[in-house]
Amino acid sequence: MTQDTTHPTDLFENPMGLDGFEFVEFASPKPGILEPIFELLGFTKIAVHRSKDVVLYRQGDINFIINNEPKSHAAYFAEEHGPCACGLAFRVRDSHKAYARALELGAQPIEIPTGPMELHLPAIKGIGGAPLYLIDRYKEGQSIYDIDFEYLEGVDRNPVGCGFKVIDHMTHNVYRGRMDYWARFYETLFNFKEIRYFDIKGEYTGLKSRALTAPDGRIRIPLNEEASEGTGQIEEFLMAYNGEGIQHIAFASDDLLASWDMLKERGLAFMTPPPDTYYEMLEERLPGHGEPADELKKRGILLDGTTEGGDLRLLLQIFSETLIGPVFFEFIQRKKDDGFGEGNFKALFESMERDQIRRGVVKAE
Ligand SMILES: [Fe+2]
């Protein structure tokens, strides 16, 4: 019998006791690159590590760490990839148990050197060789930050920022043929389940995607693989990034319009908005959606989901430009939809085509 650490809120059996994302660790070849980006995204620097050149930024319950420590795994990672996400942490209810179980199932341990009086953070080799930490100290006042970091004086330790509370999902890009390997990694070690598979075809390129969800229902990891023979967007990312890794991180808000306004005021650059035709087609695509189309259009926010049978399941989303090398961010608000905006790929494609027809570039038969 395997030990059951399943919690009442779990979606299905949770043998690792997963409980959401804890932090993402970043690095860059030289300091000063990531800090202004995190501020644009609504984060505040709240603490510095007691002995290492490591700082903690926070917004809502999202922790971003910048590791500028020389000769660390982060430094080597940055040398290879440029500015990047070089580590990832999952919350688990008991890190010793989870770590032992991961190794038993074939995970590769990664030793992160610690200074005196510092916590030893168990980690296994994750995406792109980056450490995947297993953290059980995340209770307020007893967290890893309370022990290894010093909070800045007078700083709000739980800044609201732009209203983003949690990481909704974190998409990985992997080499062609490697999606199954990475799906097995998360399935075997953590009991993730595939909730969606899609094959998205543009006119010339395409991508395959497997969306995995953890048993706690809060860690969502879609895996993307290039579907075309040529240099589609996944291939381009892998070349720019110099390997497999985190392509984008999505933050969830309860009020995306308000969050967007705050990001805009900070000067964040968003991806090019869709053509007007996208919004003209909204009512046709999602009849009775009830969202303020003009407000969405003004901001370039996309809408996806379904309104079938009057049951509204919607998702609002928008993306930043690439901000950290080829890595970008997504901002979303879920209204009962648990997808990733798949419908928008097709809708964007069609709205651009309609726009081309209107401009006479493409002749409609
Ligand atoms: Fe996404």
Side-chain angles (χ1 to χ4, degrees), residues 4-15:
D4 190 18
T5 46
T6 306
H7 201 256
T9 56
D10 288 337
L11 302 179
F12 39 87
E13 202 199 337
N14 188 358

Side-chain angles (χ1 to χ4, degrees), residues 19-33:
D19 196 19
F21 291 104
E22 174 55 33
F23 66 77
V24 190
E25 181 184 20
F26 294 83
S28 69
K30 51 177 196 237
I33 295 174

Side-chain angles (χ1 to χ4, degrees), residues 169 171 248 250 319 330 340:
H169 63 272
T171 299
H248 74 267
F319 301 90
E330 176 181 350
F340 298 90

Side-chain angles (χ1 to χ4, degrees), residues 168-171 222 247-250 317 319 328 330 332 340-341:
D168 180 88
H169 63 272
M170 186 177 296
T171 299
Q247 177 212 35
H248 74 267
I249 299 170
Q317 67 181 164
F319 301 90
F328 57 91
E330 176 181 350
I332 82 167
F340 298 90

